[in-house]
Amino acid sequence: MAKVTIDYSRELNSAQYQAVTAGDGPMLVVAGAGSGKTRTLVYRVAWLVEHGVVPESILLLTFTRRAAGEMITRATSMLDHRCQRVVGGTFHWLANRILHRYSRRLSLHPDFTIIDRGDAEDILNFLAADLGFRERHQRFPKKRTIAEIFSKTVNRTEPLEVVLVRDYDQFLKYQSELAELWERYRSYKRQHHVMDFDDLLVYLNLLLQEHKDVCRELASQYLHILVDEYQDTNRIQADIVRALATSHGNVMVVGDDSQSIYSFRGAHFRNILDFPKLFPDARVFKLEENYRSPQPILDLANGIIASAREKYTKCLFTRRSEGPRPLLVRPVDETTQSEFICSKVKELQLRGVPLREVAVLFRASFHSFDLEVALNRVGIRFVKYGGFKFIESAHVKDMLAHLRAWQNPWDRISWTRLLLLINQVGPKRSQEILTYLGEGEPSTSRLALYARSLPMNHGLHRLVGLFEELSTPGLSVSQKISVVRSYYEPILMAKYDDHPKRLQELKYLQDWTVKYDKLEEFLADIALEPPNANVPEQHPQMAEDHLVLSTIHSAKGLEWQAVFLLSAVEGRLPSGYGYSDEEILEEERRLLYVAVTRAKESLFLCCPQRIYDRKTGFRNTPLSMFLRQLPSGNYFHHADEVGLDRSSPVDDEDSGETEFSPGDAVRHPFFGRGLVVSVPDNLKVRIRFEDGHTRLLHLEYAPLERVATVY
């Protein structure tokens, strides 16, 4: 064995060192926010390689390809070039890679393509209409809702009925239709050789469970498995990890149960809690020393998570005991909140803090609309993350449809999209063309055959010419994008009034292709891991200093010198939809924990005294229940200039009475007015609200007040 060149005991703290050098076997590393999780994984990679493990037998699974690449690059710089041979990527990337290799085992077409959520929704909408559900049922769920229902069914490995009863009871009456649609959707994807995100994991798990020889082969190939952000895995991903590690048990999962915030994507909070049950010999290591924030911010984070129902008990600490306490402000309304943030951001700039080191975080994308107007008014540049991405916009999807149809002629949804862009082609002609293509082996040459019967000035001839040009040998991915841009730009300019902006975004799309040698790799990555921002990071525009606006979900894993949290009030954080489900409510608590632990120096919690709601208009808003539940302590500074109530957060609102009886008229800050139907116990009430829904609310969490009448 080669001589060890890295002094691990000097480079790592005691807890990190124990985890990195723990040898073989299953391990769970519970890594608190800012505790050096990535550092631990990087040094673990280096330690394994340095101690004789073949680099190609190390599998590093992360939630972005970029994260895996950066970890491997860091390990390489610390040790040597051997680390470059470590296999790293996302679960979906791994599945895509393995399924192309073993496609015949599952009777899959080896050249299948991957569709994004938008394409999946379009297919579901087409199939629902084809089955007559839209015509027969006026209230049949919209395509986005159907996609959500099916995705939850897959990722939670639950029957359709269970998902409907728990999350979509208003659509229970359509259970049989949805079940039929589900089967049609599965058949459609196989027939047209496409997969959605969920299919990649489902088929990989199926391959591992039903083909034990393949499972053994892969387990012998990947002798050490490292998994980042394990708290964000779903049940299928946990099954994949267990299958790959069955023969050797060499699996290290790293994560923080307090940062499990992606249940809407199917993440299963219990995976990290139950890891020691799946691997009874697992050793558990806790990383609690924080290297990001001063102790006052960590005290707040510890206080927020202290009331969590289930958790690995840990207490974040740092050697930076000094630092400003978080500032709690109570603006009069959202306009005043925006004015306060603009003023503070300018103050931070005067103190030498770069704009890109300042972030404003929020629960939902629309919460920042008022602030965006204010920032534009005062001339503060910003970039927004989370919410709608330009990769989901129509003109970008149009571009990608041409490339996908050329690569996979079976991709009916892409064919439909690009055909309907041609002036002389309507729905009827489009279906005729698709039928003709489907009568033989779909191909661009068959399209040319169909076009021969049309006048030479027909737009279909331009499309045939495009596909012929794309088939020119030796074209790079960037050149293929350029060819499609030349074809599509006249269509775009005729279709959109704001074409200059959209044309620029197509240029950005081309900029993303520079690192790709194969078109199929680019199309797979753009579907599996679309960029967060609307401008590539290497683009000069991103070099300009700018404020960061971000949803909390998009901010996880990032950090800034100064962080503002928007609207930490009831109905916003927690979101109004969380009150009747304790699991969702606990995830909302973890969201707040994630938000406050992003700050390296300064933290500002903005809690407007009233907000505007589209349903109810202006309404008074208590502080977030998670702030009111804080253990006793001096967590905050207060700001008089924006109308702060200087009382402590625990005492910020009148406690009021907590006992209700059937027949009482009440008001909830998010759900509005309602009538108490029953009181199951002294902590819960069942209320029928004006919107017709009956909800079971927990009185410890729900800020209810009595009113004279319901209506």
Side-chain angles (χ1 to χ4, degrees):
M1 184 182 297
K3 181 181 177 181
V4 174
T5 59
I6 297 175
D7 187 345
Y8 294 92
S9 61
R10 189 186 71 178
E11 297 293 331
L12 304 167
N13 67 34
S14 176
Q16 293 169 342
Y17 177 78
Q18 290 177 39
V20 165
T21 62
D24 292 346
M27 286 171 274
L28 167 63
V29 180
V30 181
S35 63
K37 167 182 66 68
T38 301
R39 185 178 183 84
T40 302
L41 279 168
V42 168
Y43 275 86
R44 176 67 176 175
V45 168
W47 189 87
L48 288 171
V49 173
E50 202 168 10
H51 284 76
V53 176
V54 176
E56 291 87 349
S57 71
I58 302 172
L59 175 61
L60 173 61
L61 292 172
T62 63
F63 272 77
T64 67
R65 289 276 304 280
R66 175 179 173 178
E70 289 178 348
M71 289 185 200
I72 291 170
T73 298
R74 283 177 58 180
T76 301
S77 65
M78 284 164 32
L79 188 59
D80 56 45
H81 66 278
R82 287 175 294 170
C83 294
Q84 292 178 337
R85 307 204 305 271
V86 170
V87 180
T90 67
F91 278 92
H92 292 87
W93 169 84
L94 177 71
N96 186 43
R97 173 173 167 162
I98 292 175
L99 290 174
H100 274 103
R101 178 176 163 190
Y102 293 101
S103 57
R104 298 300 185 190
R105 290 296 193 101
L106 298 175
S107 301
L108 299 172
H109 195 284
D111 293 326
F112 66 82
T113 54
I114 302 164
I115 57 174
D116 61 20
R117 174 57 73 91
D119 290 333
E121 291 173 4
D122 289 342
I123 294 171
L124 288 167
N125 203 42
F126 161 74
L127 294 175
D130 191 52
L131 288 166
F133 296 158
R134 294 269 178 244
E135 186 176 342
R136 295 201 304 270
H137 306 295
Q138 186 177 2
R139 299 292 185 181
F140 198 72
K142 292 180 171 58
K143 61 180 183 180
R144 175 170 293 184
T145 304
I146 298 172
E148 289 173 356
I149 292 170
F150 289 172
S151 186
K152 285 184 178 181
T153 299
V154 172
N155 285 297
R156 294 178 177 175
T157 60
E158 294 176 338
L160 176 62
E161 182 179 8
V162 172
V163 173
L164 290 175
V165 168
R166 186 188 58 239
D167 298 331
Y168 304 92
D169 60 341
Q170 70 271 36
F171 298 127
L172 259 175
K173 58 186 175 183
Y174 301 129
Q175 182 181 337
S176 61
E177 288 89 344
L178 287 168
E180 183 179 357
L181 179 57
W182 173 245
E183 290 304 320
R184 282 287 298 271
Y185 179 53
R186 293 175 64 185
S187 299
Y188 178 97
K189 288 182 290 183
R190 274 192 169 270
Q191 180 184 351
H192 296 91
H193 311 310
V194 297
M195 286 195 193
D196 61 27
F197 299 162
D198 299 333
D199 291 330
L200 291 169
L201 300 182
V202 168
Y203 281 117
L204 174 57
N205 194 36
L206 187 66
L207 179 71
L208 297 173
Q209 303 303 327
E210 295 192 354
H211 298 269
K212 296 302 181 184
D213 59 325
V214 174
C215 186
R216 287 191 296 271
E217 183 179 334
L218 290 171
S220 64
Q221 179 180 348
Y222 302 121
L223 295 175
H224 284 270
I225 301 170
L226 311 179
V227 186
D228 190 18
E229 306 285 13
Y230 190 70
Q231 78 282 347
D232 294 332
T233 55
N234 61 33
R235 287 185 172 120
I236 301 175
Q237 289 165 323
D239 288 343
I240 290 169
V241 170
R242 182 165 53 172
L244 290 175
T246 297
S247 62
H248 51 72
N250 295 327
V251 55
M252 172 189 276
V253 301
V254 182
D256 182 3
D257 53 299
S258 298
Q259 297 187 70
S260 179
I261 60 173
Y262 293 114
S263 66
F264 68 95
R265 295 181 186 168
H268 190 44
F269 175 64
R270 296 224 58 87
N271 279 356
I272 192 166
L273 295 180
D274 293 343
F275 183 83
K277 296 178 183 177
L278 294 179
F279 295 91
D281 298 330
R283 287 164 288 173
V284 179
F285 303 90
K286 293 183 182 180
L287 308 183
E288 298 173 288
E289 183 172 356
N290 180 282
Y291 294 91
R292 177 183 298 152
S293 311
Q295 194 61 49
I297 292 176
L298 300 184
D299 288 341
L300 175 60
N302 290 331
I304 289 167
I305 213 65
S307 300
R309 281 190 308 148
E310 289 185 279
K311 59 184 179 297
Y312 284 105
T313 302
K314 57 185 177 297
C315 185
L316 297 178
F317 69 92
T318 179
R319 299 175 193 183
R320 295 174 58 200
S321 58
E322 299 298 322
R325 280 177 291 162
L327 184 71
L328 177 68
V329 296
R330 281 291 257 157
V332 173
D333 52 26
E334 289 173 280
T335 299
T336 315
Q337 174 178 250
S338 299
E339 292 170 354
F340 167 76
I341 291 174
C342 290
S343 174
K344 273 293 178 184
V345 167
K346 287 185 173 292
E347 180 184 316
L348 289 166
Q349 284 184 282
L350 290 174
R351 284 163 41 191
V353 179
L355 267 180
R356 64 176 60 249
E357 276 294 327
V358 184
V360 183
L361 307 183
F362 31 86
R363 172 64 180 84
S365 185
F366 74 90
H367 293 172
S368 69
F369 289 170
D370 186 274
L371 176 62
E372 291 171 46
V373 172
L375 291 170
N376 282 320
R377 187 167 55 243
V378 299
I380 296 177
R381 291 188 301 274
F382 65 88
V383 172
K384 186 174 181 179
Y385 297 85
F388 187 79
K389 302 178 179 67
F390 99 105
I391 206 72
E392 300 165 352
S393 54
H395 55 294
V396 175
K397 292 180 73 67
D398 287 346
M399 282 278 294
L400 296 175
H402 290 83
L403 294 165
R404 286 180 174 137
W406 177 77
Q407 185 202 17
N408 174 15
W410 293 93
D411 186 349
R412 186 184 182 99
I413 200 72
S414 292
W415 273 108
T416 300
R417 188 178 193 102
L418 62 89
L419 287 172
L420 291 175
L421 292 171
I422 301 171
N423 280 337
Q424 300 100 315
V425 176
K428 185 177 179 180
R429 171 76 77 172
S430 170
Q431 290 305 310
E432 182 181 300
I433 295 171
L434 291 172
T435 300
Y436 180 83
L437 292 176
E439 288 172 351
E441 182 78 16
S443 65
T444 53
S445 59
R446 189 163 176 80
L447 179 69
L449 202 62
Y450 179 92
R452 287 181 184 176
S453 63
L454 300 174
M456 288 307 298
N457 63 349
H458 195 282
L460 203 61
H461 290 289
R462 278 195 73 228
L463 182 61
V464 171
L466 166 68
F467 285 148
E468 290 175 348
E469 192 171 356
L470 285 173
S471 301
T472 304
L475 286 184
S476 67
V477 178
S478 182
Q479 287 171 325
K480 286 174 181 174
I481 291 279
S482 181
V483 167
V484 178
R485 274 181 61 201
S486 297
Y487 166 86
Y488 176 66
E489 283 181 1
I491 299 173
L492 181 148
M493 294 178 70
K495 189 176 180 182
Y496 300 106
D497 289 338
D498 62 344
H499 55 80
K501 171 180 175 290
R502 294 175 187 260
L503 289 172
Q504 184 63 48
E505 289 180 346
L506 295 186
K507 174 63 169 65
Y508 294 157
L509 180 69
Q510 188 167 353
D511 290 343
W512 261 297
T513 66
V514 293
K515 62 181 179 180
Y516 290 95
D517 297 321
K518 297 180 179 179
L519 179 63
E520 56 267 31
E521 291 179 357
F522 167 69
L523 292 176
D525 277 5
I526 212 76
L528 291 175
E529 200 171 323
N532 274 331
N534 290 357
V535 182
E537 291 191 0
Q538 69 269 25
H539 195 274
Q541 184 177 326
M542 288 298 282
E544 297 178 2
D545 203 18
H546 57 262
L547 176 70
V548 175
L549 306 186
S550 175
T551 60
I552 301 172
H553 287 101
S554 296
K556 194 166 83 66
L558 304 176
E559 58 184 33
W560 296 270
Q561 282 191 43
V563 169
F564 295 83
L565 178 60
L566 276 187
S567 302
V569 294
E570 291 295 316
R572 289 285 176 89
L573 187 60
S575 164
Y577 294 106
Y579 292 106
S580 56
D581 187 313
E582 291 188 32
E583 287 188 14
I584 296 177
L585 201 59
E586 285 298 298
E587 182 163 310
E588 296 287 308
R589 183 192 309 278
R590 298 193 291 270
L591 265 176
L592 180 57
Y593 173 88
V594 168
V596 303
T597 53
R598 300 308 95 200
K600 294 191 291 185
E601 298 292 342
S602 305
L603 176 63
F604 306 89
L605 278 71
C606 301
C607 312
Q609 297 174 36
R610 64 174 189 163
I611 60 174
Y612 180 78
D613 185 272
R614 285 171 289 182
K615 295 179 181 177
T616 61
F618 283 102
R619 57 182 174 85
N620 294 331
T621 47
L623 278 178
S624 168
M625 56 172 283
F626 306 132
L627 299 179
R628 301 200 314 275
Q629 288 176 351
L630 284 170
S632 60
N634 197 9
Y635 295 96
F636 301 104
H637 280 308
H638 301 288
D640 290 324
E641 68 270 20
V642 286
L644 174 77
D645 179 347
R646 291 181 60 87
S647 58
S648 72
V650 178
D651 300 325
D652 189 75
E653 310 296 332
D654 293 334
S655 58
E657 297 182 35
T658 57
E659 295 181 0
F660 296 91
S661 302
D664 284 352
V666 296
R667 180 168 55 207
H668 186 278
F670 185 80
F671 298 123
R673 293 172 179 264
L675 195 70
V676 176
V677 177
S678 63
V679 184
D681 58 49
N682 62 353
L683 286 177
K684 295 174 183 173
V685 290
R686 184 170 281 106
I687 302 170
R688 185 174 63 253
F689 287 95
E690 290 176 324
D691 62 5
H693 286 276
T694 299
R695 299 177 173 91
L696 181 66
L697 302 185
H698 198 294
L699 289 174
E700 183 180 347
Y701 305 141
L704 293 173
E705 62 174 317
R706 281 189 177 84
V707 293
T709 57
V710 178
Y711 303 109

